[in-house]
């Protein structure tokens, strides 16, 4: 790292029907496109999440809010 290095951090939600290979391909495309558009980008970190996981977390949070945080 240095003063001329650019770091990109991304939190990306992928469609639940994508398998590991599909996610890997999508990440490779993202990285290539970013580097093509912005050559100064030297480091890219992508946090991959499934939309299914995000939906489940949101539903759990909504249930907890509706019950005041009580689980039973």
């Amino acid at each position: 790292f240095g003063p001329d290095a650019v770091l990109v951090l991304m939190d990306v939600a992928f469609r639940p029907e994508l398998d590991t290979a599909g996610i890997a391909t999508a990440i490779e495309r993202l990285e290539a496109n970013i580097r093509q558009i912005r050559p100064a980008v030297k480091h890219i970190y992508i946090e991959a999440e499934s939309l299914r996981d995000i939906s489940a977390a949101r539903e759990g949070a909504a249930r907890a809010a509706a019950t005041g945080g009580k689980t039973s």
Side-chain angles (χ1 to χ4, degrees), residues 19 22 27 36 39 68 70 72:
D19 60 8
I27 288 172
Q36 181 180 3
K70 297 177 185 175
S72 50

Side-chain angles (χ1 to χ4, degrees), residues 14 18-31:
F14 292 96
L18 280 178
D19 60 8
T20 303
I23 291 172
T25 299
I27 288 172
E28 289 172 5
R29 276 197 325 261
L30 279 169
E31 290 177 346

Side-chain angles (χ1 to χ4, degrees), residues 13-67:
F14 292 96
R15 294 186 314 264
E17 65 270 12
L18 280 178
D19 60 8
T20 303
I23 291 172
T25 299
I27 288 172
E28 289 172 5
R29 276 197 325 261
L30 279 169
E31 290 177 346
N33 287 336
I34 290 167
R35 287 195 170 102
Q36 181 180 3
I37 294 168
R38 299 283 186 229
V41 171
K42 302 299 179 196
H43 306 279
I44 301 173
Y45 296 96
I46 298 176
E47 178 79 23
E49 292 186 63
S50 164
L51 289 175
R52 180 182 307 130
D53 295 340
I54 293 170
S55 294
R58 286 181 181 159
E59 288 172 8
R63 278 194 301 275
T67 61

